[in-house]
Amino acid sequence: MTTAPAIAPAQGTEEIQDAGHVDVLIVGAGISGIGAAYHLRDQFPDRTFVILDAQDNRGGTWWTHRYPGVRSDSDLFTYGYRFKPWRGPSIAAGEAILEYLDEVIDEYGLDRYIRYRHRVTAASWSTGDRRWTVEVTRGDTGQRLRFTTGFLWMCQGYYNHAKPYRPRWEGMDRFQGVVIHPQQWPEDLDLAGKRVVVIGSGATAATLIPAIAERAGHVTMLQRSPTYYFAPPATHELAVMLAPLDLPDEWMHEIMRRQYMSQYHWLARTSFEAPDELHAFLIESIRPLLPEGFDVDRHLIPRYRPWQQRIAIVPDGDLFAALREGKASIVTDTIDTFTEHGIKVSSGEEIPADIVVTATGFNMSVLGDVAFTVDGEPVDFTERVTWRGVMINGVPNMAYVFGYFRHSWTLRVDLVSDLVGRLLATMQAKGATMVVPTLRPEDADMQLRPFSDPENFNSGYVMRSQHILFKQGDREPWTHMLEHEQEREVLPKADLDDGTLVYR
């Protein structure tokens, strides 16, 4: 990239330096951004691009989440990219995932495109110039930069890393212990012999509790309502059977990838077609792993149908092992108040605690909370609808990556990257410098639906964020949240000339 002389600042403002122009600007150097960069470089080797990330290293969630035991909650054969074989166990720790991403960055020379500590704050589209102007603040120097690009690819994920969801309960101010959130885990926290209460029962709690149970005096999972769990072996039995054959990495990866796809397709399909059957399967599969006399009905029967929220993966049943060994326990109740030395629940019981971990989830972020404008007009995403879960109506030359809730996120990274590649090729073939998803006349009276239908998927973090998220319509291509089994057929065949994309 060439760097132009600094632009003189307006009176009363900080100087903004011109950082140059690229064909494609990718926001985010996590699993989405790295995957998008690989596909862009593979399909369009002559195009210039840059990856901007607000963090000081790669990995996104895997860099910011450092609580004990942090690991994938889906298998790595499908969470890994289709172009890069995964060689480890099916479920892996965050550190192993970062090492995998490092290999991708090194093997495909992506490090020279990444700019860390570059937080995107605003993106402005000009139809006259056919380009985005992207404003960036450097986290290390405070310097403000201005990039321009012909195409903006938002791969920042959906977490608000700076502001996790932290409810306030009565009495928290008088609690004499330590209260922490997993997203902000202190490196020097001493757990030895401590009484720990983990508020929450989702994937984070299920991961954290067995990881700290060995060091803590006792760990109590305090849940308002139960979660569905699935306890597969950390290494799939098929992988164990194939190991003596010493197959090439590419073969092993593809075989296991298809096996896990089939498994998750069955789970998702059964959750709609036979939810009672799936409920029985999940509950009965973990019953033998529980302590004798454990109250399954109270602590492990959710109030929703399977897959209406994420199923928490417990490899080798390690959470249940902690329960059997007496190192952990579950209390199902609501919080009445914090006390000086613990938490009093509605039943009147007081749970003693030295440390309270609020594994209560996170807040979603809409396209990185970047301030978008199109031709000088601010974009209110709550008034917009998605185009195939890839673009937003009325927003030109911008795509985003949002993965699956019920399958590995990365399965959709590959599919979306293919679609964006086809879109860029179509623009080139047409000689177009602009493409914008546009509602057709027949879509004018289309019923707008929320980002997520609660009957489909209703996890707390999604329901809490509905009011800030974009919408979907009642017909294709203005819908999203299809299952992978559907999208792997639909997206590769998506008609880019059906009138919903206007090229100029």
Side-chain angles (χ1 to χ4, degrees):
M1 280 188 310
T2 58
T3 302
I7 299 173
Q11 188 173 3
T13 64
E14 296 180 34
E15 180 179 357
I16 302 179
Q17 292 191 338
D18 191 338
H21 179 82
V22 289
D23 296 325
V24 180
L25 191 150
I26 297 172
V27 179
I31 195 80
S32 300
I34 293 171
Y38 163 82
H39 286 287
L40 181 65
R41 190 167 180 266
D42 180 59
Q43 298 175 47
F44 303 96
D46 296 331
R47 299 209 181 187
T48 58
F49 70 95
V50 67
I51 309 168
L52 305 181
D53 197 287
Q55 304 297 331
D56 54 5
N57 215 317
R58 79 291 182 232
T61 295
W62 304 111
W63 176 250
T64 60
H65 287 198
R66 305 180 189 182
Y67 57 86
V70 61
R71 64 193 178 199
S72 62
D73 63 350
S74 58
D75 74 280
L76 266 297
F77 291 98
T78 57
Y79 191 83
Y81 305 112
R82 71 172 182 234
F83 59 84
K84 168 67 175 174
W86 172 256
R87 301 180 178 87
S90 303
I91 303 294
E95 184 177 346
I97 296 171
L98 287 174
E99 291 173 357
Y100 172 82
L101 292 177
D102 283 339
E103 290 181 12
V104 174
I105 291 170
D106 291 343
E107 289 176 17
Y108 299 103
L110 300 180
D111 54 326
R112 64 191 179 99
Y113 300 98
I114 304 175
R115 308 286 184 269
Y116 296 117
R117 296 178 286 276
H118 281 55
R119 180 177 298 279
V120 176
T121 58
S124 304
W125 169 262
S126 168
T127 296
D129 296 333
R130 292 297 202 271
R131 63 175 52 181
W132 286 97
T133 297
V134 177
E135 294 186 12
V136 173
T137 300
R138 287 193 56 162
D140 52 348
T141 65
Q143 181 184 21
R144 296 177 64 198
L145 304 175
R146 177 185 292 123
F147 291 81
T148 59
T149 185
F151 196 92
L152 184 59
W153 201 345
M154 301 298 295
C155 299
Q156 77 299 320
Y158 63 3
Y159 285 113
N160 185 328
H161 291 288
K163 297 179 181 179
Y165 179 59
R166 303 188 73 160
R168 296 291 302 177
W169 290 279
E170 183 180 341
M172 288 184 73
D173 292 341
R174 67 172 177 261
F175 178 59
Q176 295 182 2
V178 177
V179 179
I180 58 176
H181 191 283
Q183 279 186 237
Q184 299 170 337
W185 194 272
E187 293 183 6
D188 59 351
L189 183 66
D190 181 13
L191 293 165
K194 300 295 176 62
R195 298 165 300 179
V196 182
V197 174
V198 178
I199 303 175
S201 60
T204 300
T207 298
L208 179 64
I209 289 171
I212 65 176
E214 292 293 332
R215 286 177 286 161
H218 186 80
V219 184
T220 303
M221 175 194 284
L222 174 54
Q223 61 176 7
R224 182 175 53 186
S225 59
T227 293
Y228 280 107
Y229 297 102
F230 183 48
T235 301
H236 197 286
E237 58 184 11
L238 178 59
V240 173
M241 184 176 68
L242 294 175
L245 300 180
D246 197 23
L247 298 172
D249 289 336
E250 292 78 8
W251 290 21
M252 188 71 169
H253 179 73
E254 186 61 25
I255 291 170
M256 295 307 304
R257 188 175 172 87
R258 293 187 185 192
Q259 171 67 24
Y260 275 108
M261 280 185 194
S262 175
Q263 175 177 300
Y264 281 104
H265 289 164
W266 177 84
L267 284 169
R269 194 164 55 245
T270 306
S271 72
F272 289 103
E273 297 174 357
D276 291 343
E277 176 185 329
L278 182 56
H279 168 90
F281 166 77
L282 293 171
I283 298 302
E284 295 308 314
S285 67
I286 63 173
R287 196 182 293 274
L289 306 177
L290 298 168
E292 186 176 351
F294 188 84
D295 192 342
V296 173
D297 289 347
R298 178 172 179 77
H299 300 307
L300 291 174
I301 302 296
R303 302 171 183 172
Y304 52 88
R305 63 173 172 75
W307 263 140
Q308 211 167 359
Q309 298 182 20
R310 284 191 70 89
I311 296 173
I313 302 298
V314 183
D316 292 329
D318 55 5
L319 171 64
F320 308 122
L323 295 176
R324 291 195 309 272
E325 294 163 4
K327 297 174 181 177
S329 57
I330 298 178
V331 173
T332 304
D333 208 334
T334 55
I335 295 174
D336 181 38
T337 183
F338 274 60
T339 66
E340 291 184 353
H341 304 292
I343 298 175
K344 182 181 178 183
V345 294
S346 298
S347 68
E349 177 188 1
E350 182 174 350
I351 308 170
D354 303 302
I355 298 171
V356 173
V357 182
T358 56
T360 46
F362 54 89
N363 291 312
M364 291 182 70
S365 171
V366 182
L367 298 174
D369 295 324
V370 173
F372 279 80
T373 59
V374 172
D375 293 327
E377 293 294 323
V379 178
D380 182 354
F381 285 103
T382 66
E383 299 295 324
R384 308 288 177 132
V385 294
T386 184
W387 181 87
R388 298 193 182 279
V390 178
M391 302 179 77
I392 302 292
N393 83 293
V395 182
N397 290 29
M398 190 275 282
Y400 66 92
V401 174
F402 196 101
Y404 294 113
F405 285 122
R406 298 189 179 97
H407 310 275
S408 290
W409 180 278
T410 324
L411 287 172
R412 199 161 196 273
V413 173
D414 287 327
L415 286 175
V416 169
S417 296
D418 289 343
L419 183 59
V420 171
R422 283 207 297 133
L423 181 64
L424 293 174
T426 300
M427 292 176 68
Q428 183 175 342
K430 290 178 177 290
T433 54
M434 176 176 173
V435 59
V436 54
T438 305
L439 298 178
R440 301 162 296 190
E442 59 266 36
D443 299 324
D445 61 349
M446 178 174 62
Q447 179 186 0
L448 298 187
R449 296 175 173 174
F451 175 89
S452 179
D453 178 358
E455 290 300 312
N456 179 14
F457 192 83
N458 63 10
S459 282
Y461 61 94
V462 176
M463 295 298 102
R464 285 195 302 270
S465 303
Q466 294 268 49
H467 66 289
I468 63 171
L469 297 168
F470 46 82
K471 305 292 194 296
Q472 59 177 320
D474 62 5
R475 68 199 66 168
E476 295 292 340
W478 309 110
T479 61
H480 66 176
M481 291 186 68
L482 300 179
E483 302 301 329
H484 176 254
E485 192 171 22
Q486 300 167 286
E487 280 208 318
R488 67 175 179 170
E489 301 294 332
V490 171
L491 286 188
K493 299 175 183 176
D495 187 355
L496 304 186
D497 274 311
D498 63 354
T500 61
L501 297 177
V502 175
Y503 301 88
R504 300 177 190 171

